[in-house]
Amino acid sequence: MSTSTAPAPLSLSQARFNMIEQQIRPWEVLDARVLALLDRVHREDFVPAAHKALAFADMELPLTHPAVEGQAMLAPKVEARLLQDLLLKPTDKVLEVGSGSGHMAALLASLAQRVVSIEIDEALARTARENLQKAGIANAEVRRADAAANGFAACATEAPYDAIVLSGSVAEIPSALLALLAPGGRLAAIVGHEPMMRATIVTRTGDAAFQTAQPWDTVAPRLRNFPEPSRFQF
């Protein structure tokens, strides 16, 4: 008499490999540095305990905490493509707005010289610091602040930045944030309104000159306290 057995669960390394090959490569993330980094920086170590079983799923994951509502880790393919589009160099100084669990800061810090990550929620900022410390990431600093307050004063202390990434969506990119870019610097953000937002890559090409590309579409949760212009039209 034959007996059936349930398939063995995937190992973490196999699940991570499947995420890279089945989600991230098909989304045109082909930079060898980024793909190797996604294998090396373990996403599951930055996922809230309640959602660890979904660490490699093609979805946003809620950042569960009693004080946090509506905040989430971006889907793996979205993080990966933003990272690829920033074209980071080992000498770059990077600003991240929206630390979340610290995962994107860890990825950024692995490709750049220094990362300053701003998080509005104290509980998330504390978690991100702890996760980065456990992962041995020493060149990323998480600061608790409202990034958009007072003309982005909390972000300006170490400006200019070679790269800026917004780990959440905004209705539009504030000019005060673009002003923090160094010449040749790149900003990556998800811009617009549901049901369709655009990945927006802005490159500073001169003192008051910027070049913008919008190479792909997605949706993402809003960053808190960024300007939300009226959508009313006559």
Side-chain angles (χ1 to χ4, degrees):
M1 183 177 69
S2 63
T3 59
S4 59
T5 57
L10 288 176
S11 67
L12 286 175
S13 60
Q14 184 64 50
R16 190 179 303 108
F17 175 84
N18 291 350
M19 175 190 74
I20 293 169
E21 296 300 320
Q22 297 172 11
Q23 295 176 41
I24 292 170
R25 277 189 189 273
W27 242 49
E28 298 182 25
V29 179
L30 303 175
D31 186 322
R33 296 185 312 153
V34 173
L35 294 173
L37 186 59
L38 294 170
D39 186 52
R40 191 168 72 247
V41 176
H42 293 170
R43 180 177 170 86
E44 68 272 19
D45 294 340
F46 293 83
V47 170
H51 304 300
K52 281 199 182 293
L54 299 172
F56 306 112
D58 183 14
M59 61 186 294
E60 296 164 0
L61 292 180
L63 293 169
T64 50
H65 189 279
V68 179
E69 289 186 18
Q71 303 302 295
M73 288 181 72
L74 296 176
K77 66 187 182 186
V78 173
E79 285 190 330
R81 188 127 185 219
L82 288 172
L83 191 66
Q84 175 176 264
D85 288 351
L86 278 172
L87 301 172
L88 292 178
K89 300 186 293 293
T91 54
D92 281 348
K93 179 168 59 178
V94 183
L95 170 67
E96 180 194 23
V97 179
S99 308
S101 69
H103 184 246
M104 189 62 161
L107 296 173
L108 294 164
S110 299
L111 295 178
Q113 184 175 76
R114 173 165 167 73
V115 175
V116 176
S117 185
I118 307 293
E119 171 55 53
I120 194 170
D121 184 87
E122 178 58 51
L124 284 181
R126 185 166 55 250
T127 297
R129 289 189 201 104
E130 292 170 354
N131 287 341
L132 288 164
Q133 184 177 27
K134 289 175 185 175
I137 305 291
N139 60 327
E141 177 187 352
V142 177
R143 298 178 183 172
R144 208 301 300 172
D146 182 346
N150 302 315
F152 294 89
C155 303
T157 53
E158 293 192 40
Y161 296 95
D162 302 295
I164 298 173
V165 60
L166 307 186
S167 289
S169 69
V170 293
E172 63 183 25
I173 300 171
S175 57
L177 196 55
L178 291 174
L180 303 181
L181 281 174
R186 293 84 57 209
L187 180 146
I190 298 166
V191 180
H193 302 271
E194 292 192 87
M196 187 182 77
M197 304 176 186
R198 306 295 303 274
T200 302
I201 313 300
V202 183
T203 303
R204 186 167 199 165
T205 57
D207 287 347
F210 299 88
Q211 186 176 64
T212 300
Q214 293 185 312
W216 44 280
D217 301 333
T218 189
V219 294
R222 276 290 192 249
L223 287 173
R224 287 163 56 186
N225 292 3
F226 269 66
E228 198 73 35
S230 171
R231 299 177 65 189
F232 179 81
Q233 294 180 338
F234 289 100

Coordinates of all heavy atoms in Angstrom, one line a residue, residues 9-72:
P9 N 9.1 21.4 2.8 CA 9.1 22.9 2.6 C 10.4 23.3 1.9 O 11.4 22.7 2.1 CB 8.9 23.4 4.0 CG 9.4 22.3 4.9 CD 9.1 21.0 4.2
L10 N 10.2 24.4 1.2 CA 11.4 25.0 0.5 C 12.4 25.5 1.6 O 12.0 26.0 2.6 CB 11.0 26.1 -0.4 CG 10.3 25.8 -1.7 CD1 9.9 27.1 -2.3 CD2 11.1 25.0 -2.6
S11 N 13.7 25.3 1.3 CA 14.7 25.9 2.2 C 14.7 27.4 2.0 O 14.2 27.8 0.9 CB 16.1 25.3 1.9 OG 16.5 25.7 0.6
L12 N 15.2 28.1 2.9 CA 15.3 29.6 2.7 C 16.1 29.9 1.5 O 15.7 30.8 0.8 CB 15.9 30.2 4.0 CG 15.0 30.3 5.2 CD1 15.8 30.8 6.4 CD2 13.8 31.1 5.0
S13 N 17.2 29.2 1.3 CA 18.0 29.6 0.2 C 17.3 29.3 -1.2 O 17.4 30.0 -2.1 CB 19.3 28.8 0.2 OG 19.1 27.4 0.2
Q14 N 16.5 28.2 -1.2 CA 15.8 27.9 -2.4 C 14.6 28.9 -2.6 O 14.4 29.3 -3.8 CB 15.2 26.5 -2.4 CG 14.5 26.0 -3.6 CD 15.4 26.0 -4.8 OE1 16.4 25.3 -4.8 NE2 15.0 26.6 -5.9
A15 N 14.0 29.3 -1.6 CA 12.9 30.3 -1.7 C 13.5 31.6 -2.1 O 12.8 32.3 -2.9 CB 12.2 30.4 -0.3
R16 N 14.6 32.0 -1.6 CA 15.3 33.2 -2.0 C 15.7 33.2 -3.5 O 15.5 34.1 -4.3 CB 16.5 33.5 -1.2 CG 17.1 34.9 -1.3 CD 18.3 35.1 -0.4 NE 17.9 34.9 1.0 CZ 18.3 33.8 1.7 NH1 19.1 32.9 1.2 NH2 17.9 33.7 3.0
F17 N 16.2 32.0 -3.9 CA 16.6 31.8 -5.3 C 15.3 32.0 -6.2 O 15.4 32.6 -7.3 CB 17.2 30.5 -5.5 CG 17.5 30.1 -6.9 CD1 18.7 30.5 -7.5 CD2 16.6 29.3 -7.7 CE1 19.0 30.2 -8.9 CE2 16.9 29.0 -9.0 CZ 18.1 29.4 -9.6
N18 N 14.2 31.3 -5.8 CA 13.0 31.4 -6.6 C 12.5 32.9 -6.7 O 12.0 33.3 -7.8 CB 11.9 30.5 -6.0 CG 12.2 29.1 -6.1 OD1 13.2 28.7 -6.9 ND2 11.5 28.2 -5.4
M19 N 12.6 33.6 -5.6 CA 12.2 35.0 -5.6 C 13.0 35.8 -6.7 O 12.4 36.6 -7.5 CB 12.4 35.7 -4.3 CG 12.1 37.2 -4.2 SD 12.6 37.9 -2.6 CE 14.5 37.9 -2.8
I20 N 14.3 35.6 -6.7 CA 15.1 36.3 -7.6 C 14.9 35.9 -9.1 O 14.7 36.8 -10.0 CB 16.6 36.1 -7.3 CG1 16.9 36.7 -5.9 CG2 17.5 36.6 -8.3 CD1 18.3 36.3 -5.3
E21 N 14.7 34.6 -9.3 CA 14.6 34.1 -10.7 C 13.2 34.3 -11.2 O 13.0 34.5 -12.4 CB 15.0 32.7 -10.7 CG 16.5 32.4 -10.4 CD 17.4 33.2 -11.4 OE1 17.1 33.2 -12.6 OE2 18.4 33.8 -10.9
Q22 N 12.1 34.2 -10.4 CA 10.8 34.2 -10.8 C 10.1 35.5 -10.7 O 9.1 35.8 -11.4 CB 10.0 33.1 -10.1 CG 10.5 31.7 -10.4 CD 9.8 30.6 -9.5 OE1 8.8 30.9 -8.8 NE2 10.4 29.4 -9.4
Q23 N 10.5 36.4 -9.8 CA 9.9 37.7 -9.6 C 10.8 38.8 -10.1 O 10.3 39.7 -10.9 CB 9.6 38.0 -8.1 CG 8.7 37.1 -7.5 CD 8.6 37.4 -6.0 OE1 8.6 38.5 -5.6 NE2 8.5 36.3 -5.2
I24 N 12.1 38.8 -9.8 CA 12.9 40.0 -9.9 C 13.5 40.0 -11.3 O 13.4 41.1 -12.0 CB 13.9 40.0 -8.8 CG1 13.2 40.3 -7.5 CG2 15.0 41.1 -9.1 CD1 14.0 40.2 -6.3
R25 N 14.1 38.9 -11.8 CA 14.6 38.9 -13.2 C 13.5 39.3 -14.2 O 13.8 40.1 -15.1 CB 15.3 37.6 -13.5 CG 16.7 37.4 -13.0 CD 17.3 36.2 -13.6 NE 18.5 35.8 -13.1 CZ 19.7 36.3 -13.5 NH1 19.7 37.1 -14.5 NH2 20.8 35.9 -13.0
P26 N 12.3 38.7 -14.1 CA 11.3 39.0 -15.1 C 10.9 40.5 -15.1 O 10.3 40.9 -16.0 CB 10.1 38.1 -14.7 CG 10.8 36.9 -14.0 CD 11.9 37.6 -13.3
W27 N 11.2 41.2 -14.0 CA 10.9 42.6 -13.9 C 12.0 43.5 -14.4 O 12.2 44.6 -14.0 CB 10.5 43.0 -12.5 CG 9.1 43.5 -12.4 CD1 8.0 42.9 -13.0 CD2 8.6 44.7 -11.8 NE1 6.9 43.6 -12.7 CE2 7.2 44.7 -12.0 CE3 9.2 45.7 -11.1 CZ2 6.4 45.8 -11.5 CZ3 8.5 46.7 -10.6 CH2 7.1 46.7 -10.8
E28 N 12.9 42.9 -15.3 CA 14.0 43.6 -15.9 C 15.0 44.1 -15.0 O 15.7 45.1 -15.2 CB 13.5 44.7 -16.8 CG 12.5 44.2 -17.9 CD 12.1 45.4 -18.8 OE1 12.8 46.4 -18.9 OE2 11.0 45.3 -19.4
V29 N 15.2 43.4 -13.8 CA 16.3 43.6 -12.9 C 17.4 42.6 -13.3 O 17.3 41.5 -13.0 CB 15.9 43.5 -11.5 CG1 17.1 43.7 -10.6 CG2 14.8 44.4 -11.1
L30 N 18.4 43.1 -14.1 CA 19.4 42.3 -14.6 C 20.8 42.7 -14.2 O 21.8 42.0 -14.6 CB 19.4 42.3 -16.1 CG 18.0 41.9 -16.7 CD1 18.0 42.1 -18.2 CD2 17.6 40.5 -16.4
D31 N 20.9 43.7 -13.3 CA 22.2 44.1 -12.8 C 22.8 43.0 -11.9 O 22.2 42.7 -10.9 CB 22.1 45.4 -12.1 CG 23.4 46.1 -11.6 OD1 24.3 45.3 -11.2 OD2 23.5 47.3 -11.6
A32 N 24.0 42.5 -12.3 CA 24.5 41.4 -11.5 C 24.8 41.8 -10.1 O 24.7 40.9 -9.2 CB 25.8 40.9 -12.2
R33 N 25.2 43.0 -9.8 CA 25.5 43.5 -8.5 C 24.2 43.4 -7.6 O 24.2 43.0 -6.5 CB 26.0 44.9 -8.4 CG 27.3 45.1 -9.1 CD 27.8 46.6 -8.9 NE 26.7 47.5 -9.2 CZ 26.5 48.7 -8.7 NH1 27.3 49.1 -7.7 NH2 25.5 49.5 -9.0
V34 N 23.1 43.9 -8.2 CA 21.8 43.9 -7.5 C 21.3 42.5 -7.2 O 20.9 42.1 -6.1 CB 20.8 44.7 -8.2 CG1 19.4 44.6 -7.6 CG2 21.2 46.2 -8.3
L35 N 21.4 41.6 -8.2 CA 21.0 40.2 -8.0 C 21.8 39.5 -7.0 O 21.2 38.8 -6.1 CB 21.0 39.5 -9.4 CG 20.1 40.0 -10.4 CD1 20.4 39.3 -11.8 CD2 18.6 39.8 -10.0
A36 N 23.1 39.7 -7.0 CA 23.9 39.1 -6.0 C 23.6 39.6 -4.6 O 23.6 38.9 -3.6 CB 25.4 39.3 -6.3
L37 N 23.3 40.9 -4.5 CA 23.0 41.5 -3.2 C 21.7 41.0 -2.6 O 21.6 40.8 -1.4 CB 22.9 43.0 -3.4 CG 22.8 43.9 -2.2 CD1 23.9 43.7 -1.2 CD2 22.7 45.4 -2.6
L38 N 20.7 40.7 -3.5 CA 19.5 40.2 -3.0 C 19.6 38.8 -2.4 O 18.9 38.4 -1.6 CB 18.5 40.2 -4.1 CG 18.1 41.6 -4.6 CD1 17.2 41.5 -5.9 CD2 17.3 42.4 -3.6
D39 N 20.6 38.1 -2.9 CA 20.9 36.8 -2.3 C 21.7 36.9 -1.0 O 21.5 36.1 -0.1 CB 21.7 36.0 -3.4 CG 21.9 34.5 -2.9 OD1 20.9 33.9 -2.6 OD2 23.1 34.1 -2.9
R40 N 22.5 37.9 -0.9 CA 23.4 38.1 0.2 C 22.7 38.8 1.4 O 23.0 38.4 2.6 CB 24.6 38.9 -0.2 CG 25.7 38.9 0.8 CD 27.0 39.4 0.2 NE 27.0 40.9 -0.1 CZ 27.0 41.4 -1.2 NH1 27.0 40.7 -2.3 NH2 27.0 42.8 -1.4
V41 N 21.9 39.8 1.2 CA 21.2 40.5 2.2 C 19.8 39.8 2.4 O 19.0 39.9 1.5 CB 21.0 42.0 1.9 CG1 20.2 42.7 3.0 CG2 22.4 42.7 1.8
H42 N 19.7 39.2 3.5 CA 18.5 38.3 3.7 C 17.3 39.0 4.1 O 17.1 39.5 5.2 CB 18.9 37.2 4.8 CG 19.9 36.3 4.3 ND1 20.5 35.4 5.2 CD2 20.5 36.1 3.1 CE1 21.4 34.7 4.5 NE2 21.5 35.1 3.2
R43 N 16.3 39.1 3.1 CA 15.1 39.8 3.3 C 14.3 39.3 4.6 O 13.7 40.1 5.3 CB 14.2 39.7 2.1 CG 12.9 40.4 2.1 CD 12.2 40.3 0.8 NE 10.8 40.8 0.9 CZ 10.4 42.0 0.7 NH1 11.3 43.0 0.5 NH2 9.1 42.4 0.8
E44 N 14.4 38.0 4.8 CA 13.6 37.4 5.9 C 14.0 38.0 7.3 O 13.2 38.0 8.2 CB 13.7 35.9 5.9 CG 15.0 35.3 6.2 CD 15.9 35.1 5.0 OE1 15.7 35.8 4.0 OE2 16.9 34.3 5.1
D45 N 15.3 38.5 7.4 CA 15.8 39.0 8.6 C 15.2 40.4 8.9 O 15.3 40.9 10.0 CB 17.3 39.1 8.6 CG 17.9 37.7 8.6 OD1 17.2 36.7 9.0 OD2 19.1 37.6 8.2
F46 N 14.5 41.0 7.9 CA 14.0 42.4 8.1 C 12.4 42.4 8.0 O 11.8 43.4 8.2 CB 14.5 43.3 6.9 CG 15.9 43.6 7.0 CD1 16.9 42.7 6.5 CD2 16.4 44.7 7.6 CE1 18.2 42.9 6.6 CE2 17.8 45.0 7.7 CZ 18.7 44.1 7.2
V47 N 11.9 41.2 7.9 CA 10.4 41.1 7.8 C 9.8 40.9 9.2 O 10.4 40.2 10.0 CB 10.0 39.8 7.0 CG1 8.5 39.5 7.1 CG2 10.4 40.1 5.5
P48 N 8.7 41.6 9.6 CA 8.1 41.4 10.9 C 7.8 39.9 11.2 O 7.5 39.2 10.2 CB 6.8 42.2 10.8 CG 7.1 43.3 9.8 CD 8.0 42.6 8.8
A49 N 8.0 39.5 12.4 CA 7.9 38.1 12.8 C 6.5 37.5 12.3 O 6.5 36.3 11.8 CB 8.0 37.9 14.3
A50 N 5.5 38.3 12.3 CA 4.2 37.8 12.0 C 4.1 37.4 10.5 O 3.1 36.7 10.1 CB 3.1 38.8 12.3
H51 N 5.0 37.9 9.7 CA 4.9 37.7 8.2 C 6.1 37.0 7.6 O 6.3 37.0 6.4 CB 4.7 39.1 7.5 CG 3.5 39.8 8.0 ND1 2.3 39.4 7.9 CD2 3.5 41.1 8.6 CE1 1.4 40.3 8.5 NE2 2.1 41.3 8.9
K52 N 6.9 36.4 8.5 CA 8.2 35.8 8.0 C 7.9 34.7 6.9 O 8.7 34.5 6.0 CB 9.0 35.2 9.1 CG 9.8 36.3 9.9 CD 10.9 35.7 10.6 CE 11.7 36.7 11.4 NZ 12.4 37.7 10.6
A53 N 6.8 34.0 7.0 CA 6.4 33.0 6.0 C 6.2 33.6 4.6 O 6.3 32.9 3.6 CB 5.2 32.2 6.5
L54 N 6.0 34.9 4.6 CA 5.7 35.6 3.3 C 6.9 36.4 2.9 O 6.8 37.3 2.0 CB 4.5 36.5 3.4 CG 3.2 35.7 3.8 CD1 2.1 36.8 4.0 CD2 2.7 34.8 2.6
A55 N 8.1 36.2 3.5 CA 9.2 37.1 3.2 C 9.6 37.2 1.7 O 10.0 38.3 1.3 CB 10.4 36.6 4.0
F56 N 9.4 36.1 1.0 CA 9.8 36.1 -0.4 C 8.6 36.2 -1.4 O 8.7 36.1 -2.6 CB 10.5 34.8 -0.7 CG 11.7 34.6 0.2 CD1 11.7 33.6 1.1 CD2 12.8 35.5 0.2 CE1 12.8 33.4 2.0 CE2 13.9 35.3 1.1 CZ 13.9 34.3 2.0
A57 N 7.4 36.5 -0.8 CA 6.2 36.6 -1.7 C 6.2 37.9 -2.5 O 6.8 38.9 -2.1 CB 4.9 36.6 -0.8
D58 N 5.6 37.9 -3.6 CA 5.5 39.0 -4.5 C 4.4 40.0 -4.0 O 3.3 40.1 -4.6 CB 5.2 38.5 -5.9 CG 5.2 39.7 -6.9 OD1 5.6 40.8 -6.6 OD2 4.7 39.5 -8.1
M59 N 4.6 40.6 -2.9 CA 3.6 41.5 -2.3 C 4.3 42.4 -1.3 O 5.4 42.2 -0.8 CB 2.6 40.6 -1.6 CG 3.2 39.8 -0.5 SD 2.0 38.6 0.3 CE 0.8 39.7 1.1
E60 N 3.5 43.5 -0.9 CA 4.0 44.3 0.2 C 3.6 43.6 1.5 O 2.7 42.9 1.6 CB 3.2 45.7 0.1 CG 3.6 46.5 -1.1 CD 2.6 47.6 -1.3 OE1 1.6 47.7 -0.6 OE2 2.7 48.3 -2.3
L61 N 4.4 43.9 2.5 CA 4.2 43.2 3.8 C 4.0 44.3 4.9 O 4.8 45.2 5.0 CB 5.4 42.4 4.2 CG 5.6 41.1 3.4 CD1 6.9 40.4 3.9 CD2 4.4 40.2 3.3
P62 N 2.9 44.2 5.6 CA 2.6 45.2 6.6 C 3.7 45.2 7.7 O 4.2 44.2 8.1 CB 1.3 44.7 7.2 CG 0.7 43.8 6.2 CD 1.8 43.2 5.5
L63 N 4.0 46.5 8.1 CA 5.0 46.6 9.2 C 4.2 46.7 10.5 O 3.9 47.8 10.9 CB 5.9 47.9 8.9 CG 6.8 47.8 7.7 CD1 7.4 49.1 7.4 CD2 7.9 46.8 8.0
T64 N 3.9 45.6 11.0 CA 2.9 45.5 12.1 C 3.6 46.0 13.4 O 4.6 45.6 13.8 CB 2.5 44.1 12.4 OG1 3.6 43.2 12.4 CG2 1.6 43.6 11.2
H65 N 2.9 47.0 14.0 CA 3.2 47.5 15.3 C 2.0 48.3 15.8 O 1.3 48.9 15.0 CB 4.5 48.4 15.2 CG 5.0 48.9 16.5 ND1 4.4 49.9 17.3 CD2 6.0 48.4 17.3 CE1 5.1 50.0 18.4 NE2 6.1 49.1 18.4
P66 N 1.7 48.3 17.1 CA 0.5 49.0 17.6 C 0.5 50.4 17.2 O -0.6 51.0 17.0 CB 0.6 48.8 19.1 CG 1.4 47.6 19.3 CD 2.4 47.5 18.2
A67 N 1.6 51.1 17.0 CA 1.6 52.5 16.7 C 1.7 52.8 15.2 O 1.7 53.9 14.8 CB 2.8 53.2 17.4
V68 N 1.7 51.8 14.4 CA 1.9 51.9 12.9 C 0.7 51.5 12.2 O 0.2 50.3 12.4 CB 3.2 51.2 12.5 CG1 3.4 51.4 11.0 CG2 4.4 51.6 13.2
E69 N 0.2 52.3 11.3 CA -0.9 51.9 10.4 C -0.6 52.2 9.0 O -0.1 53.3 8.7 CB -2.2 52.6 10.8 CG -2.8 52.1 12.1 CD -4.2 52.7 12.4 OE1 -4.8 53.2 11.5 OE2 -4.6 52.7 13.6
G70 N -0.9 51.3 8.1 CA -0.8 51.6 6.7 C 0.7 51.6 6.1 O 0.9 51.9 4.9
Q71 N 1.7 51.3 6.9 CA 3.0 51.3 6.5 C 3.4 49.8 6.1 O 2.9 48.9 6.7 CB 4.0 51.7 7.6 CG 3.7 53.1 8.1 CD 3.7 54.2 7.0 OE1 4.7 54.4 6.4 NE2 2.5 54.8 6.7
A72 N 4.2 49.7 5.0 CA 4.5 48.4 4.5 C 5.9 48.3 3.9 O 6.4 49.4 3.4 CB 3.5 48.0 3.5

